[in-house]
Amino acid sequence: MYVLHFSPDTAALIVRLVLEELGQPYRAVPIDRAAGGLDAPGYRALNPLGQIPALETPEGPIFETAAILALLSETHGALAPRPGAPGRGDFLKWLAFTSFNLHAPLMGLFYPERYTGSATGNAGFLATSRARVETALALLDATAAGAPDWFAPDRASALGYYVLVLMRWLKSFAPDDPCHIDFARYPALARMALTLEARPAARACAAAEGLGAAIFSAPCADASAPGA
Ligand SMILES: N[C@@H](CCC(=O)N[C@@H](CS)C(=O)NCC(=O)O)C(=O)O
């Protein structure tokens, strides 16, 4: 059985959504971050940078969200094209794109000190990171608008869950209206948010992690803040 090491409302949610959607049994093990769980040698053996998530699998521990999604979808033959199937290259391309160009700059917004040496970051770095996020989302929205099987607004996909969970995090970075995500700028992703949050997998994950039912379209309906 898979073992998912998680904290609520983090990148581990992406993996949990995909495991639920695939119908795979898994055990979810909470990480006690306040007690230094990310630095514990046992956890570092699973994820050497002490980041969330880590997934224990029959072939050993896997870290990096994109790698986990590629492995799970390939192993279980769903939510993304299998190796050799049409669209496989496109899926991998946009999966890596999301990791480098959306996930990474969001981490820069959460942890500017890791990139700038300053606890609050400098204004230029923060503005550049926000612009990178917006550029990536616009390109992902245009891709989803073409409705490829592996990233269509009206069907579940590993990449869809990845992008929509990352969009949840935007609620932390809108100083004037922290609960507003401007979905009007991303109409295909907006449709995807409504489709995917209604699925049993998303409902199960929202309940498990104490999140609101409109997990993607109205991320501030729940009381929590993303825990990146
Ligand atoms: N590159 C990693 C980043 C994962 C990530 O964003 N993890 C966050 C939680 S959402 C984390 O571990 N934050 C704590 C830290 O970096 O110290 C991945 O894709 O899995």
Side-chain angles (χ1 to χ4, degrees):
M1 182 191 292
Y2 292 111
V3 179
L4 175 62
H5 297 262
F6 83 105
S7 285
D9 208 359
T10 64
L13 175 59
I14 303 156
V15 177
R16 189 193 282 254
L17 284 157
V18 166
L19 286 167
E20 287 283 344
E21 191 69 58
L22 291 170
Q24 289 302 311
Y26 63 95
R27 190 160 59 86
V29 177
I31 299 165
D32 189 347
R33 293 175 75 165
L38 293 177
D39 295 321
Y43 190 71
R44 290 280 170 149
L46 301 175
N47 186 323
L49 281 181
Q51 291 192 319
I52 309 163
L55 184 71
E56 294 185 66
T57 80
E59 62 181 83
I62 308 289
F63 54 88
E64 287 298 326
T65 305
I68 295 170
L69 299 187
L71 182 77
L72 287 176
S73 57
E74 177 178 324
T75 301
H76 301 290
L79 301 180
R82 287 190 118 146
R88 173 73 175 175
D90 285 333
F91 160 70
L92 288 175
K93 176 173 74 184
W94 286 103
L95 182 67
F97 174 94
T98 298
S99 181
F100 288 117
N101 299 300
L102 182 57
H103 197 159
L106 280 166
M107 287 293 277
L109 290 171
F110 276 110
Y111 299 106
E113 71 281 4
R114 292 182 187 170
Y115 299 79
T116 66
S118 151
T120 52
N122 61 56
F125 172 78
L126 295 174
T128 303
S129 297
R130 279 201 191 92
R132 288 184 62 199
V133 166
E134 286 166 15
T135 298
L137 284 174
L139 290 167
L140 285 161
D141 187 70
T143 303
D149 284 353
W150 43 270
F151 194 46
D154 62 351
R155 60 184 293 173
S157 65
L159 184 60
Y161 281 124
Y162 192 6
V163 171
L164 291 175
V165 169
L166 295 177
M167 286 186 85
R168 270 183 69 79
W169 300 358
L170 294 177
K171 70 181 186 178
S172 300
F173 306 116
D176 299 334
D177 179 2
C179 283
H180 182 65
I181 294 177
D182 192 359
F183 271 112
R185 298 176 63 180
Y186 314 113
L189 296 177
R191 292 206 309 282
M192 193 185 293
L194 294 173
T195 303
L196 267 59
E197 71 189 9
R199 294 183 64 83
R203 303 262 172 177
C205 291
E209 301 204 2
L211 310 176
I215 187 174
F216 300 130
S217 66
C220 285
D222 53 73
S224 73

